[in-house]
Amino acid sequence: MSGKQLVKTSKFLSLVLRHQPDAAGITVDAHGWADVDALLRGMNAAGQHCDAEMLAEIVASDEKQRYSFNADHTKIRANQGHSFPVDLELVPVTPPEFLWHGTATRFLDSIMQTGLKPMSRQYVHLSPDPETAYKVGSRHGKPVILRIEAQKMAAAGFVFYRAENGVWLTDAVPPEYIAVTEYDAKGRGQA
Ligand code: HQG
């Protein structure tokens, strides 16, 4: 199976498991789990060739660990990134002193006015390090890295979760906890 084919299929899988289960004619349960057999049938019916072996390869090789199987591999779900409400059974965790958010410079004015909002997703996504945040921000345009005073937020009552794949999630980040940094792609620079 070529890497290119796996990426294409993984993108469709993300669409189905995070945003639009209906694209494969399936539903997911309240915890985001899809039935693997129904998913494979639905993907093939939608013209996205996939079998159990390929699905397992996508889950195992995904560089961001976007998906998880349940214990007996009869169900699969996305670890984060949903745009519909889903209970991932995450437990609140105390965050490190700082977390990081990569965004594009064109969003800065709005973010510094209203804070970080989940936009089309269920949560605001935060990265554990500036290097990861830089990559996330680059997806949107000229990247800028924001440093989030996560521990101060937690002390003030904001709740943080860490998804299965290490991405940090919270409902919103008010502007007073956000600092614009000059970090570059390698995390060099200044906070
Ligand atoms: C911005 C990827 C204006 C926010 C990544 C971001 C991540 C605001 C964009 C995951 C704003 C939303 C999520 C405000 C937030 N005004 N803009 N008040 N508040 N924004 O894609 O965090 O590859 O929904 O800065 O690795 O970029 O899909 O969120 O630029 O973990 O697995 O609104 O998606 O993972 O964009 O990325 P997104 P994100 P995957």
Side-chain angles (χ1 to χ4, degrees):
M1 185 58 56
S2 79
K4 217 169 147 192
Q5 186 60 41
L6 286 180
V7 169
K8 181 172 167 276
T9 308
S10 174
K11 286 193 172 169
F12 186 73
L13 193 59
S14 263
L15 171 77
V16 170
L17 295 178
R18 290 171 165 179
H19 309 297
Q20 241 178 282
D22 195 41
I26 62 162
T27 54
V28 300
D29 72 13
H31 304 294
W33 292 110
D35 180 81
V36 167
D37 289 340
L39 172 69
L40 291 175
R41 274 197 306 275
M43 287 177 76
N44 286 292
Q48 295 283 337
H49 163 72
C50 193
D51 58 21
E53 198 185 334
M54 188 173 168
L55 194 65
E57 193 175 346
I58 289 172
V59 173
S61 67
D62 189 88
E63 85 279 9
K64 288 190 187 171
Q65 295 174 56
R66 291 181 176 90
Y67 319 103
S68 291
F69 285 115
N70 66 346
D72 64 5
H73 284 215
T74 54
K75 291 179 185 181
I76 183 172
R77 74 177 174 189
N79 288 326
Q80 39 76 215
H82 300 81
S83 53
F84 51 81
V86 41
D87 173 11
L88 294 173
E89 299 146 293
L90 299 171
V91 287
V93 190
T94 305
E97 183 177 12
F98 299 123
L99 287 170
W100 311 86
H101 180 85
T103 188
T105 50
R106 68 196 149 94
F107 297 145
L108 264 187
D109 285 352
S110 166
I111 289 173
M112 294 317 279
Q113 259 174 23
T114 63
L116 284 170
K117 297 183 168 175
M119 308 308 272
S120 65
R121 305 197 193 238
Q122 192 179 5
Y123 294 106
V124 170
H125 289 223
L126 301 172
S127 305
D129 54 74
E131 296 87 341
T132 308
Y134 191 93
K135 287 184 203 148
V136 174
S138 306
R139 293 157 52 249
H140 297 289
K142 186 170 185 289
V144 56
I145 301 180
L146 308 178
R147 190 185 71 181
I148 311 301
E149 302 226 56
Q151 226 161 59
K152 275 197 186 148
M153 282 181 68
F158 289 88
V159 178
F160 288 81
Y161 305 96
R162 196 175 46 220
E164 193 74 17
N165 60 358
V167 173
W168 285 84
L169 306 169
T170 194
D171 288 330
V173 180
E176 59 265 35
Y177 298 104
I178 304 174
V180 179
T181 75
E182 290 175 7
Y183 277 114
D184 67 12
K186 295 206 165 65
R188 292 175 307 210
Q190 300 204 0

